[in-house]
Amino acid sequence: MYGRRRYYGSRRREETGRYLRTAMVVLAVICIIVVCVTMALQTTKASQVAAAEPAEQEAAALIDEKNVMYIAQAATAGPVIMATEAVNRTKTQERQVIVIDPGHGGIDGGCVFENVLEKDINREIAWSVTKKLRNMGYQVVLVRQGDDYVDKMDRVEKANQENALLYVSIHQNSCEVSSVTGIETWYDENDDTGSSKRLAQLIQQETVKATGAVGRELVSDTELCVLNKSDMPACLVETGFLSNKQERDKLCTEEYREQVAEGIVQGIVLYMN
């Protein structure tokens, strides 16, 4: 009996040892498999990241605050078209420097009626035009910021130095006949491209539409410095007659000046497009 017990005890120990060795081998194999799978996943992920980096860098270069709205609108068109639209929109806007010239200023008050100075009306309208255009993403340069006197030639030279796409000078009109009212726009007919006339036509058209004012004729004048010395299409818009009391009273209200500014902006946008 004692010998059989020893035999069976020894046999159980051997079997247990074999089970333990088998279990260790299986565990080692499982560990090796896990390590291999993990390394494979990491390698795949690293490859994906490496492949994605150029696209992400390109996208980061393309997307900025000016493009977000346009990219969102083009989302259904696919990533290539989205990126192209964003780049084109930004490059176009960067080139589109617009110079807005509030006529007169400083010691040059322009025409004056009942303590209403042309230079002040011009500045208010010009500033409103500037804000509206900037909100649309255009780069705008104001010839004068405050009530400063700026020589006519200096105004044009500033526009030329900016390599501006267009130049719009804002003024008020006057006439010995106080009943005369309306908007008229001036341009230089010596512009062989016809661009100045087209700019004048569009601004005249849209400003009359926005205000309901009388639409007077387009006037060609080759003698005005701000028109004939500019390197870009230019026009001078007379937005109303301060010599007419009704029109003067309108121009003294913020609401009407906003309408005038909106018309000028819409004319510029039509020209740009």
Side-chain angles (χ1 to χ4, degrees), residues 8-44:
Y8 287 121
S10 174
R11 186 174 181 180
R12 282 197 295 272
R13 285 194 296 274
E14 290 177 359
E15 290 177 350
T16 301
R18 283 199 299 271
Y19 291 148
L20 289 174
R21 286 192 294 274
T22 301
M24 290 179 65
V25 171
V26 171
L27 182 61
V29 171
I30 291 173
C31 290
I32 292 171
I33 292 173
V34 170
V35 170
C36 291
V37 170
T38 302
M39 292 178 64
L41 289 174
Q42 290 177 343
T43 301
T44 302

Side-chain angles (χ1 to χ4, degrees), residues 113-114 116 173 175 177-181 240-253 256:
F113 290 88
E114 293 184 356
V116 177
N173 218 334
C175 182
V177 180
S178 62
S179 61
V180 176
T181 65
F241 281 79
L242 293 184
S243 52
N244 180 275
K245 179 171 174 39
Q246 287 73 32
E247 200 154 62
R248 180 171 68 248
D249 290 342
K250 286 183 179 180
L251 287 162
C252 287
T253 66
Y256 189 75

Side-chain angles (χ1 to χ4, degrees), residues 158-171:
K158 184 173 184 177
N160 292 340
Q161 289 170 1
E162 292 287 347
N163 194 26
L165 190 62
L166 59 88
Y167 181 103
V168 177
S169 187
I170 297 172
H171 287 257

Side-chain angles (χ1 to χ4, degrees), residues 210-237:
T211 60
V214 174
R216 295 173 61 81
E217 70 275 15
L218 293 177
V219 182
S220 174
D221 193 315
T222 61
E223 301 300 321
L224 288 175
C225 175
V226 295
L227 300 181
N228 62 30
K229 298 297 183 183
S230 61
D231 294 339
M232 72 292 300
C235 71
L236 185 152
V237 53

Side-chain angles (χ1 to χ4, degrees), residues 134-267:
R134 285 176 177 170
N135 287 338
M136 298 171 77
Y138 295 105
Q139 292 189 35
V140 184
V141 174
L142 271 172
V143 169
R144 66 177 175 97
Q145 298 286 340
D147 186 18
D148 302 320
Y149 173 78
V150 182
D151 183 76
K152 293 183 178 68
M153 196 60 218
D154 291 339
R155 296 169 190 255
V156 179
E157 287 180 355
K158 184 173 184 177
N160 292 340
Q161 289 170 1
E162 292 287 347
N163 194 26
L165 190 62
L166 59 88
Y167 181 103
V168 177
S169 187
I170 297 172
H171 287 257
Q172 307 306 310
N173 218 334
S174 66
C175 182
E176 294 179 355
V177 180
S178 62
S179 61
V180 176
T181 65
I183 298 170
E184 61 185 34
T185 309
W186 298 50
Y187 70 99
D188 181 3
E189 65 182 1
N190 288 335
D191 177 3
D192 295 333
T193 66
S195 297
S196 292
K197 183 176 183 180
R198 177 170 169 266
L199 174 64
Q201 286 175 325
L202 290 172
I203 288 180
Q204 172 90 353
Q205 164 191 302
E206 294 302 310
T207 309
V208 168
K209 184 189 301 183
T211 60
V214 174
R216 295 173 61 81
E217 70 275 15
L218 293 177
V219 182
S220 174
D221 193 315
T222 61
E223 301 300 321
L224 288 175
C225 175
V226 295
L227 300 181
N228 62 30
K229 298 297 183 183
S230 61
D231 294 339
M232 72 292 300
C235 71
L236 185 152
V237 53
E238 302 271 8
T239 67
F241 281 79
L242 293 184
S243 52
N244 180 275
K245 179 171 174 39
Q246 287 73 32
E247 200 154 62
R248 180 171 68 248
D249 290 342
K250 286 183 179 180
L251 287 162
C252 287
T253 66
E254 182 178 357
E255 180 182 2
Y256 189 75
R257 291 196 301 268
E258 284 293 314
Q259 293 173 3
V260 172
E262 183 64 26
I264 294 173
V265 168
Q266 290 305 315

Side-chain angles (χ1 to χ4, degrees), residues 88-137:
N88 290 342
R89 177 72 63 170
T90 300
K91 288 182 177 179
T92 299
Q93 289 175 340
E94 287 176 353
R95 290 196 303 268
Q96 292 178 340
V97 177
I98 299 169
V99 172
I100 301 298
D101 173 15
H104 305 283
I107 59 174
D108 179 11
C111 59
V112 181
F113 290 88
E114 293 184 356
N115 295 322
V116 177
L117 279 68
E118 178 187 352
K119 66 176 183 178
D120 295 333
I121 303 296
N122 296 343
R123 183 177 60 183
E124 292 290 340
I125 295 173
W127 177 236
S128 182
V129 169
T130 299
K131 288 190 293 184
K132 291 176 185 296
L133 288 172
R134 285 176 177 170
N135 287 338
M136 298 171 77

